[in-house]
Amino acid sequence: MTIHDALHQIDPEKGKQLAAQYFEESYSFPGTGTFTGSHFESFAGAPNPVNEVTAADLLAVQTLAVTVSSRAALGILETYAQRISELLSDIDPTLKLEEVRDEGDFEAVLGKNSSAQALWDLLRRNNPEAKRWNLGATTASKIMARKRPHLIPIDDSVVTRVIGRGTASSWRMWRDELLADNYLIERADEIKEHVERTDLSTLRALDIVLWQYGKTL
């Protein structure tokens, strides 16, 4: 299974319907979405500092059904705040994953020695000498996607299952499939236009449809 395969299983009109449902207003809680994740990008309004992880960012990721432990929050917002800002400043906030075309660019932007990988390792506490602060891969991906939505895909168990990612790198898988042809980008553009959310990244638009589809399987 691939991302292409998964999306080909979802009729384009059905995909638009699934995205529209995601952004429907809640009947029980007027002024908010039926799915709190519909507020992920807009939570706390503008401005969203591009080179700083804020308390609002950590609350925003919780709209996607994860929690950030107090220990992790203290580390992110205080102890390692300066280092996180330094790493984010090295990652172009406008760069799209589909623009990382050749292998050299991929290694520079998302490879093992990149600032993105260093930020991932910091959030995950991958230093063998560091004690984990109970922040999993899914949560780390959502924090990074909040700051670099066009570059970092969200790792979610539902979408991982639907696209058959297994243990493969989601960064490379999404990049390779985005570059394969224009199909994924065209589908994302149709979805964004349908729900009138042109601010969404290609990655996020497709993630919403795949997640909505996958959670019913």
Side-chain angles (χ1 to χ4, degrees):
M1 181 71 74
T2 66
I3 300 166
H4 277 73
D5 292 337
L7 282 166
H8 277 299
Q9 291 181 352
I10 308 170
D11 178 80
E13 292 304 313
K14 177 63 174 178
K16 293 176 186 178
Q17 180 184 10
L18 290 172
Q21 290 171 353
Y22 189 80
F23 289 102
E24 286 179 350
E25 184 173 351
S26 169
Y27 291 111
S28 300
F29 304 98
T32 67
T34 299
F35 293 94
T36 58
S38 64
H39 298 274
F40 176 63
E41 286 79 13
S42 61
F43 186 88
N48 179 4
V50 295
N51 293 330
E52 177 185 356
V53 175
T54 67
D57 293 321
L58 300 188
L59 287 172
V61 301
Q62 295 187 105
T63 67
L64 296 177
V66 296
T67 58
V68 178
S69 71
S70 57
R71 185 69 65 187
L74 287 168
I76 292 167
L77 299 178
E78 297 184 2
T79 309
Y80 298 101
Q82 182 175 343
R83 178 56 178 158
I84 289 171
S85 292
E86 291 170 354
L87 292 171
L88 283 170
S89 69
D90 286 336
I91 308 169
D92 184 349
T94 66
L95 183 63
K96 298 178 180 180
L97 187 54
E98 59 266 32
E99 295 172 342
V100 186
R101 303 196 67 83
D102 63 51
E103 192 60 25
D105 288 342
F106 184 88
E107 285 301 314
V109 176
L110 295 170
K112 64 180 181 179
N113 296 317
S114 67
S115 292
Q117 183 63 54
L119 179 55
W120 175 266
D121 289 338
L122 190 159
L123 293 174
R124 294 283 289 118
R125 299 279 280 176
N126 282 337
N127 183 332
E129 298 178 358
K131 186 174 181 179
R132 296 276 187 173
W133 50 26
N134 196 29
L135 193 147
T138 295
T139 305
S141 75
K142 291 173 179 179
I143 293 172
M144 291 185 68
R146 166 82 173 174
K147 305 315 298 184
R148 295 295 181 268
H150 298 284
L151 184 66
I152 305 297
I154 290 173
D155 286 340
D156 177 272
S157 60
V158 173
V159 175
T160 292
R161 171 171 49 80
V162 170
I163 65 177
R165 179 171 70 83
T167 59
S169 164
S170 64
W171 296 358
R172 183 173 291 279
M173 181 177 185
W174 276 95
R175 193 288 300 260
D176 290 350
E177 293 214 36
L178 284 167
L179 292 184
D181 53 41
N182 291 324
Y183 179 72
L184 299 186
I185 295 172
E186 289 171 355
R187 284 290 300 267
D189 287 344
E190 291 174 359
I191 293 162
K192 291 188 282 184
E193 182 178 359
H194 183 72
V195 298
E196 299 181 341
R197 287 292 304 268
T198 57
D199 60 299
L200 293 176
S201 68
T202 294
L203 295 170
R204 179 74 166 124
L206 298 176
D207 176 80
I208 287 168
V209 171
L210 292 167
W211 183 80
Q212 283 279 81
Y213 174 74
K215 71 183 179 63
T216 64
L217 297 179

